[in-house]
Amino acid sequence: MLSHQYYVIYKPFGMLSQFTRENEDDTTLADLKLEFEKDVYPVGRLDKDSEGLLILTNDKMLNNSLLSPVQGHSREYYVQVEGIPTDEALLPLTRGVKVSGEMTRPAKAHVLDPQPEMPPRNPPIRFRASIPDTWISLTLTEGKNRQVRKMTAAVGFPTLRLVRYAIEKITIQGMQPGDVIQMEKEVILKKLFGK
């Protein structure tokens, strides 16, 4: 039996979190500069219009543990929002807000100061001189469909760009969109579970 494989990737904007194309124009994980074993799949997903950290593995136990809602692993997102929120304006996110008829779990939310230096996005977000934008950090322990976008909209700061920066202690710091890093089992388990 082959040993388990573990990869951390910086999924670019516009790429599907899967290996198969839905349309011939789609870019997918198969377009990354590495050939993966046939049984390696992403743990969870990021929408096509989101970018950032994605873990790929063929370790089913790791997959199940990270996706289990009971475990509540932290996922930190860097979110470029329209407007200039204060930490007080983000306070409702830390208590939970109603999205799609349900309350979200309490999150951690604050303005990033200084603002992070993020790799350019292709295509760039629409720039409007009259409307400022701000980067915030939002850390969740759940992952409902388009939850981050719905949460920031619920407090009056629509999302312009969404980057998953970290899952527990694994981050994309120093990575560029499309980068792939293979990790050893011991390293990834220590960063995810402290083991």
Side-chain angles (χ1 to χ4, degrees):
M1 186 174 110
L2 292 172
S3 62
H4 290 134
Q5 310 282 307
Y6 304 90
Y7 301 93
V8 170
I9 74 162
Y10 186 140
K11 185 192 89 65
F13 176 84
M15 178 179 279
L16 297 176
S17 296
Q18 60 195 44
F19 287 98
T20 50
R21 292 180 210 293
E22 293 174 2
N23 303 300
E24 60 182 54
D25 301 345
D26 288 340
T27 57
T28 70
L29 299 173
D31 294 307
L32 294 169
K33 297 175 189 147
L34 190 67
E35 198 148 317
F36 299 95
E37 298 285 336
K38 291 198 182 311
D39 62 346
V40 168
Y41 291 100
V43 178
R45 60 189 291 274
L46 283 171
D47 294 328
K48 186 176 181 178
D49 56 355
S50 301
E51 55 191 292
L53 177 60
L54 199 58
I55 297 171
L56 278 66
T57 187
N58 54 0
D59 183 339
K60 289 188 172 120
M61 284 181 61
L62 175 73
N63 192 345
N64 292 339
S65 179
L66 281 178
L67 295 180
S68 166
V70 177
Q71 301 286 337
H73 294 98
S74 70
R75 297 159 178 87
E76 183 180 14
Y77 297 86
Y78 282 6
V79 191
Q80 189 177 21
V81 296
E82 197 173 272
I84 306 177
T86 60
D87 283 338
E88 289 73 29
L90 300 176
L91 209 51
L93 299 175
T94 68
R95 298 184 188 122
V97 292
K98 192 173 264 196
V99 295
S100 304
E102 289 183 30
M103 289 298 287
T104 62
R105 286 185 191 165
K108 293 179 185 167
H110 64 273
V111 174
L112 287 165
D113 185 21
Q115 295 285 278
E117 299 250 345
M118 300 303 294
R121 194 186 89 174
N122 187 16
I125 65 159
R126 182 180 63 209
F127 175 75
R128 292 185 290 182
S130 61
I131 301 177
D133 58 71
T134 308
W135 283 94
I136 66 169
S137 165
L138 186 59
T139 302
L140 309 179
T141 56
E142 61 185 342
K144 295 183 171 79
N145 186 38
R146 299 185 75 77
Q147 181 171 349
V148 171
R149 294 175 195 280
K150 290 174 181 175
M151 288 176 75
T152 65
V155 294
F157 299 97
T159 294
L160 300 171
R161 184 177 177 191
L162 178 58
V163 181
R164 181 158 55 200
Y165 181 76
I167 299 174
E168 291 294 336
K169 292 192 171 111
I170 297 174
T171 74
I172 54 166
Q173 184 170 357
M175 296 178 73
Q176 294 294 312
D179 282 356
V180 180
I181 297 172
Q182 187 165 10
M183 296 184 89
E184 296 295 323
K185 179 176 185 173
E186 297 72 28
V187 174
I188 202 161
L189 291 182
K190 185 166 177 115
K191 286 181 180 260
L192 289 173
F193 308 111
K195 294 179 184 175

